[in-house]
Amino acid sequence: HISLKIFILTMNRINQMNEYLNILEKVDLFSGISPEEFDQMLYCLQAQVKHYGKGENIINRGSKVNNIGIVLSGQIHIVKDDADGNHNIMSSLTAANIFAEAICCAGIKVSPVTVTSNTNTSIMFINFSKVLQVCEHSCVFHNKLIENMLRIVAQKNLYLQERLELISLKSIRLKVLSYLNNFHQPKGASFLIPLNRAEMADYLCVERTALS
């Protein structure tokens, strides 16, 4: 019975990996790791997939965080509330993006932010400690995971510096132009941004009516 249970769990994990393989190949944390290694890697990282409906909290502010999240489908918002209870959207993430890695790397005991699903969302969680610790099997991909994690944290630091510069701009016009510049396209081409008007106001830290 135990062998059958292990077999079923293994097959379920393989099926999940195959279902999301095209997304996992785009995840920066797994850069340089071959798809053939994914099943063993996800097993070592104790990966599990969870599904959330629109508006559900994935991580609550003040909760303990031990896992890194990978967006497999849908969209999530990372939100921080100020002293007046206003919601400030720190980041909006879609498929192949990761979150909570900075919290885990910093060793913060509880989350300072709330992570919520903006649509129906599928998230893969992996054990952060398993990313940095070489397992007993000495899997070759662990060194690559550590290298990728260091690069991601450095890139996230640069992103936060750019966001600080954005919200420090004096006028709403400059904030909007700076934000839209991130989506620069060939002249005359149209493009979509991942935020609606209210969410964009929160992201830019301005009043919605003033933004309109």
Side-chain angles (χ1 to χ4, degrees):
H1 292 296
I2 295 177
S3 297
L4 177 60
K5 184 177 180 181
I6 293 175
F7 174 76
I8 293 174
L9 290 174
T10 301
M11 291 305 298
N12 287 339
R13 186 170 60 250
I14 292 174
N15 289 336
Q16 284 185 336
M17 188 273 287
N18 289 335
E19 180 181 356
Y20 297 114
L21 182 59
N22 62 326
I23 298 298
L24 295 176
E25 289 177 330
K26 300 175 184 177
V27 175
D28 289 340
L29 181 61
F30 303 147
S31 177
I33 298 174
S34 67
E36 291 76 19
E37 297 177 291
F38 277 13
D39 184 51
Q40 179 62 34
M41 177 185 66
L42 295 179
Y43 176 81
C44 288
L45 299 178
Q46 298 178 349
Q48 55 179 321
V49 177
K50 294 185 178 181
H51 307 281
Y52 298 87
K54 181 178 181 179
E56 283 192 73
N57 284 353
I58 300 169
I59 296 177
N60 292 304
R61 180 182 179 185
S63 63
K64 190 174 182 180
V65 179
N66 296 315
N67 296 322
I68 297 173
I70 301 171
V71 183
L72 298 176
S73 65
Q75 181 188 47
I76 67 169
H77 288 165
I78 299 177
V79 180
K80 188 174 180 64
D81 296 336
D82 60 24
D84 296 324
N86 298 311
H87 298 297
N88 295 316
I89 297 178
M90 307 299 293
S91 185
S92 179
L93 305 178
T94 54
N97 284 289
I98 75 172
F99 61 94
E101 78 288 348
I103 298 174
C104 292
C105 282
I108 299 174
K109 294 183 178 180
V110 296
S111 175
V113 298
T114 297
V115 180
T116 183
S117 56
N118 192 46
T119 64
N120 290 336
T121 305
S122 296
I123 305 293
M124 176 178 286
F125 291 99
I126 59 176
N127 189 319
F128 173 73
S129 64
K130 299 297 182 180
V131 174
L132 300 184
Q133 297 175 4
V134 177
C135 70
E136 59 185 10
H137 303 294
S138 299
C139 302
V140 295
F141 52 74
H142 274 288
N143 288 334
K144 193 62 180 178
L145 285 173
I146 294 172
E147 178 185 333
N148 291 340
M149 179 58 68
L150 290 173
R151 184 174 64 253
I152 289 170
V153 171
Q155 292 172 342
K156 186 63 66 73
N157 182 54
L158 292 175
Y159 165 78
L160 291 176
Q161 290 182 19
E162 292 175 355
R163 174 164 167 73
L164 181 61
E165 292 175 0
L166 171 65
I167 63 177
S168 298
L169 294 172
K170 298 294 185 181
S171 71
I172 295 178
R173 176 183 174 82
L174 288 176
K175 290 183 179 182
V176 171
L177 288 174
S178 179
Y179 173 72
L180 294 179
N181 189 55
N182 294 324
F183 303 92
H184 55 273
Q185 300 287 331
K187 185 175 181 180
S190 62
F191 59 92
L192 297 175
I193 63 175
L195 305 175
N196 61 35
R197 198 173 335 189
E199 293 166 348
M200 187 174 178
D202 290 340
Y203 183 81
L204 298 178
C205 296
V206 300
E207 294 291 336
R208 179 180 176 182
T209 53
L211 176 62
S212 297

